[in-house]
Amino acid sequence: QVVLVESGGGLVQPGGSLRLSCAFSGPVFKVYTMTWYRQAPGKQRESVGSVTGSGNTNYADSVKGRFTISRDNTKNMMYLQMNSLKPEDTAVYYCHAHPVVSGSSWHDYWGQGTQVTVSS
């Protein structure tokens, strides 16, 4: 069983920065590709970006150059550093874990989300 817990959300002014964290509780963190998603009011959930177990990353075009995803496999943690925040970045941010191995024992997991509000 895996539990994901996000933290670090809050209210920030446009142009500001926030760092979100996702704590992974469970076995074999490294076999999971970790992804940050976000969902704004009235909109579909969208992928912000992801990081593989070996540290390879990819990002949505809307956040490239502003957001950085990282992970620490020794601490079972994933991070999202958000810079130059815009009001359109306002959303609930979710942590997601997807195993790169297959089998009935392996599942996807979601965190409960953390609110990020960008407003003056």
Side-chain angles (χ1 to χ4, degrees):
Q1 182 68 18
V2 169
V3 176
L4 303 175
V5 178
E6 302 95 335
S7 61
L11 173 64
V12 63
Q13 292 187 342
S17 298
L18 274 179
R19 188 194 196 207
L20 305 184
S21 299
C22 172
F24 176 105
S25 297
V28 206
F29 177 55
K30 196 170 183 179
V31 304
Y32 290 84
T33 291
M34 301 297 295
T35 302
W36 285 101
Y37 285 84
R38 66 185 182 185
Q39 187 166 20
K43 295 189 176 181
Q44 289 189 329
R45 192 171 295 189
E46 63 176 1
S47 172
V48 174
S50 62
V51 57
T52 66
S54 58
N56 294 315
T57 56
N58 65 72
Y59 299 92
D61 287 344
S62 59
V63 306
K64 278 181 183 176
R66 300 189 298 123
F67 290 10
T68 302
I69 295 173
S70 61
R71 66 190 289 165
D72 185 337
N73 289 337
T74 67
K75 297 181 179 179
N76 285 10
M77 295 291 294
M78 176 178 66
Y79 306 99
L80 178 64
Q81 178 66 44
M82 303 185 292
N83 299 327
S84 302
L85 282 161
K86 305 175 181 179
E88 51 263 43
D89 295 318
T90 296
V92 178
Y93 284 71
Y94 297 92
C95 174
H96 175 263
H98 173 72
V100 298
V101 294
S102 59
S104 59
S105 300
W106 300 94
H107 307 283
D108 284 32
Y109 297 92
W110 289 92
Q112 82 290 349
T114 185
Q115 177 71 46
V116 172
T117 302
V118 185
S119 175
S120 55

